[in-house]
Amino acid sequence: MLRYILKRLAIMLVTLWIIITLTFILMVSVPGSPFNSESSSNEIVQANLNKHYNLDQPKYIQYLEYIKSIATFDFGPSISKPHQSVNDLLGRGFPISFELGIISIAVAVLSGIILGIIAALRHNGIIDYLAMGLAVLGISIPNFILATLLIQQLAVNWEIFPVATWSSPAHMVLPVFALATGPMAIIARLTRSTMLEVLTQDYIKMARAKGLSPWKIIIKHALRNALMPVITIMGTLVAGVLTGSFVIEKIFAIPGMGKYFVESINHRDYPVIMGTTVFYSVFLIVMLFLVDIAYGILDPRIKFHKKGGD
Amino acid sequence: MKAIQKKNRHASVPDEWFQWKGKDMEAAEVVARPSLSYWKDAWRRLVKNKLAMMGLVFLILLGVMAIFGPVFSPYDVNKQDLPSQYQPPSAAHWFGTDGAGRDVFTRTWYGARISLFVGLMAAIIDVTIGIIYGGISGYKGGRTDNIMMRIIEVLYGLPYLLVVIMLLVVLGPSLTTIIIALTVTGWVGMARIVRGQVLQIKNYEFVLASKSFGTKTSRIIRKNLLPNTMGPIIVQMTLTVPSAIFAEAFLSFLGLGIQAPVASWGVMANDSLGAILSGNWWTLFFPAFFISFTMFAFNVLGDGLQDALDPKLRK
């Protein structure tokens, strides 16, 4: 077990190092100095930036300093908003984005699992086809398209839900719906296929023969095993929700990290872009690591000493 | 009495009526029905899947329209015509016009060109790199495999869209950059699949037989291993295309992909964000419909291919 964790930890650290180095190389290779654009004509800002990034120093010192500043979670000042540091933006945006993300994932997981179970129990029935048709549709419609369609129908035409900003539960309904649909569809399909597989196993027949109630069989015996694959894709899902939040926050004008990130891309605000990218990447890579470990703990069949073929 | 009658009846059939034809060895070997190759069999299964066939037909039509659609249209893609802005769909403008008076019908097919091009190019590059990398890793095995897999595990952890966004910020947005950015990490999934397949198949008896006849490694890979991994590769390819199409639309929507005057579905959707508030639904509807339906078509086709190419996995 310990060996497994250490191995995953080592891989995680290498991945982190690659993404940080890649960010650095890209930042250095931006034509000219990244801070020479017209948006940063302010001399004080310029001086601060040069000092912060040690642009007068040789490259390897810049690189070491860069790694040091990331290790201490100091991403430097923003160019387009001179009086703010990247940390300020992250500090303000993260709680909101985190809330949006957590709610969306919770909604996606719960409704996806329920939909998947129902589809599996009514295998090849109308409900099954309906649920799976819905799931393919959910995977196919890009979240930003879904979001704009939702705004047009539910907010503009029918005026059921308010949009823009993040101030009340009613404001949350549409963004969460737009963000959760894709992951929900993926979970529903996965749950259905593993449920179908599990339901034909001998121990389910045994449980049935014992006279257990159908619900008890599903919840206590089948679901436990059917949910293992769902856990494996949680990492990817978190990544999907996270990148999805860029556009969703942009469309719904939610003042989260994603909105700042998109703005910084449009303004070519390099410190913010790089800082946010590193932050997001670290977050995601650590999530993937945790999911891996969780999977290892939850599934006793996993071999810790040696990994078999895929 | 009865027994005698029966015997007589039999006796009334003289032996001369019968003739010994001999055993035709040749005829016994003839296959009664036309032999079905794996691909024909798979095709037969695919045709039965109505949803997948619908997807295939839609994609063929889309491909045809992407090539010939703009040719038939009297309007230029980027020709602005402000007096006729926001015209609802009509006989003159089948899909209406957008905020700059451009014909949405023409722009939609240009968007289809870009989306299909990005999707297919990304898939082809992914497959090429994936087959080579995964094939070597799986066939060589041992230490080579171990090292190559560690590299993949590290790359697999990189957040795909973030890397793409970063590359685009630095390299500058263009069609080529998008395709490069999408394939930099995109091939990893394909390589894993190919490697898994090769690892499994290389231990089968027919490969051993081939080896024991003294077949060269390159021929074994080409003739024995690759044809048998084709199924999962094709499925993965069909599923790569929609994700590449999504990524292009997503990036263009963020303002990072194809740049504004060029018609891409993502750009069109982004342009029409303001327009929907004023009720000009058609500017959003057509790009939205075609992005979604193209992805839908590829997804159901991929599902159908999966069932058709690997009947054992059918659920």
Side-chain angles (χ1 to χ4, degrees), chain A residues 8 11 15 18 26 136 140 142 144-145 148 152 156 189 197 243 247 250 262 265-266 270 277 280 284-285, chain B residues 153-154 157 159 161-162 166 169-170 246 250 253-254 256 270 273 277 281 288 291 295-296 299 303 315:
Chain A
R8 305 261 36 138
I11 289 176
T15 315
I18 286 187
L26 288 178
V136 183
S140 303
F144 59 94
I145 296 287
T148 30
Q152 188 183 13
V156 178
R189 275 162 61 108
E197 213 173 273
T243 41
V247 275
K250 176 192 167 187
V262 174
I265 291 172
N266 291 333
Y270 290 102
T277 309
Y280 275 137
L284 275 181
I285 292 169
Chain B
E153 267 176 71
V154 167
L161 266 177
L162 281 174
M166 235 165 36
V169 165
V170 174
F246 167 76
F250 180 91
F253 187 79
L254 278 185
L256 264 176
N270 194 10
L273 264 188
L277 296 178
W281 55 271
I291 300 175
M295 285 180 59
F296 180 79
N299 280 329
D303 285 354
K315 286 175 186 132

Side-chain angles (χ1 to χ4, degrees), chain B residues 67-102:
Chain B
I67 298 170
F68 299 112
V71 182
F72 294 134
S73 162
Y75 304 99
D76 189 70
V77 222
N78 291 322
K79 178 85 186 330
Q80 302 202 355
D81 182 14
L82 286 173
S84 59
Q85 71 170 167
Y86 292 132
Q87 285 186 6
S90 63
H93 297 279
W94 287 6
F95 290 178
T97 59
D98 69 0
R102 293 170 295 197

Side-chain angles (χ1 to χ4, degrees), chain A:
Chain A
M1 183 69 200
L2 188 68
R3 218 183 131 153
Y4 174 76
I5 293 180
L6 285 178
K7 197 188 120 198
R8 305 261 36 138
L9 196 68
I11 289 176
M12 179 184 86
L13 288 178
V14 177
T15 315
L16 279 178
W17 172 74
I18 286 187
I19 193 93
I20 289 170
T21 310
L22 192 68
T23 329
F24 178 78
I25 293 173
L26 288 178
M27 192 162 68
V28 172
S29 61
V30 170
S33 161
F35 313 124
N36 277 349
S37 64
E38 67 283 359
S39 58
S40 62
S41 49
N42 189 330
E43 297 236 331
I44 305 162
V45 177
Q46 191 92 15
N48 275 340
L49 283 169
N50 280 341
K51 197 172 147 230
H52 182 85
Y53 287 99
N54 304 298
L55 289 181
D56 37 354
Q57 306 275 335
K59 289 276 186 293
Y60 71 93
I61 294 192
Q62 287 183 34
Y63 179 62
L64 288 179
E65 290 295 325
Y66 179 69
I67 289 203
K68 207 196 280 173
S69 66
I70 283 176
T72 52
F73 269 92
D74 172 15
F75 296 116
S78 155
I79 297 180
S80 57
K81 298 187 174 105
H83 304 294
Q84 291 181 336
S85 72
V86 179
N87 282 10
D88 292 340
L89 290 180
L90 292 183
R92 228 168 339 122
F94 183 70
I96 295 175
S97 295
F98 190 71
E99 198 182 356
L100 172 65
I102 287 287
I103 296 176
S104 301
I105 289 176
V107 169
V109 169
L110 275 180
S111 50
I113 289 175
I114 291 173
L115 206 62
I117 294 176
I118 294 174
L121 292 182
R122 298 273 176 277
H123 185 37
N124 284 338
I126 292 175
I127 296 179
D128 183 23
Y129 288 137
L130 266 180
M132 285 307 108
L134 224 91
V136 183
L137 220 64
I139 294 175
S140 303
I141 300 179
N143 43 24
F144 59 94
I145 296 287
L146 186 63
T148 30
L149 291 176
L150 284 175
I151 293 184
Q152 188 183 13
Q153 277 312 316
L154 297 182
V156 178
N157 284 3
W158 298 340
E159 297 182 7
I160 300 176
F161 293 106
V163 281
T165 75
W166 187 249
S167 40
S168 73
H171 283 87
M172 298 180 185
V173 176
L174 292 185
V176 166
F177 188 84
L179 203 49
T181 303
M184 181 203 76
I186 296 173
I187 294 179
R189 275 162 61 108
L190 200 61
T191 310
R192 170 179 174 270
S193 67
T194 46
M195 260 315 247
L196 285 179
E197 213 173 273
V198 167
L199 285 178
T200 58
Q201 303 272 320
D202 286 341
Y203 69 88
I204 297 291
K205 277 186 204 141
M206 170 68 196
R208 222 174 260 156
K210 228 164 39 164
L212 290 185
S213 72
W215 276 112
K216 207 162 182 183
I217 294 176
I218 292 163
I219 289 173
K220 265 195 98 172
H221 297 267
L223 198 55
R224 267 193 172 183
N225 289 307
L227 287 189
M228 291 312 294
V230 176
I231 296 173
T232 44
I233 59 156
M234 277 313 284
T236 335
L237 282 186
V238 171
V241 166
L242 196 138
T243 41
S245 71
F246 304 164
V247 275
I248 297 300
E249 287 178 9
K250 176 192 167 187
I251 295 172
F252 287 93
I254 297 168
M257 256 167 81
K259 186 166 164 278
Y260 294 129
F261 186 54
V262 174
E263 276 176 13
S264 71
I265 291 172
N266 291 333
H267 295 149
R268 294 291 185 272
D269 190 342
Y270 290 102
V272 179
I273 297 177
M274 299 307 169
T276 327
T277 309
V278 169
F279 182 82
Y280 275 137
S281 311
V282 171
F283 182 76
L284 275 181
I285 292 169
V286 171
M287 282 303 290
L288 273 179
F289 170 73
L290 291 179
V291 166
D292 260 4
I293 299 295
Y295 191 66
I297 292 171
L298 288 175
D299 191 349
R301 285 167 303 183
I302 269 206
K303 294 179 209 132
F304 290 118
H305 49 280
K306 197 163 178 263
K307 209 181 158 218
D310 290 352

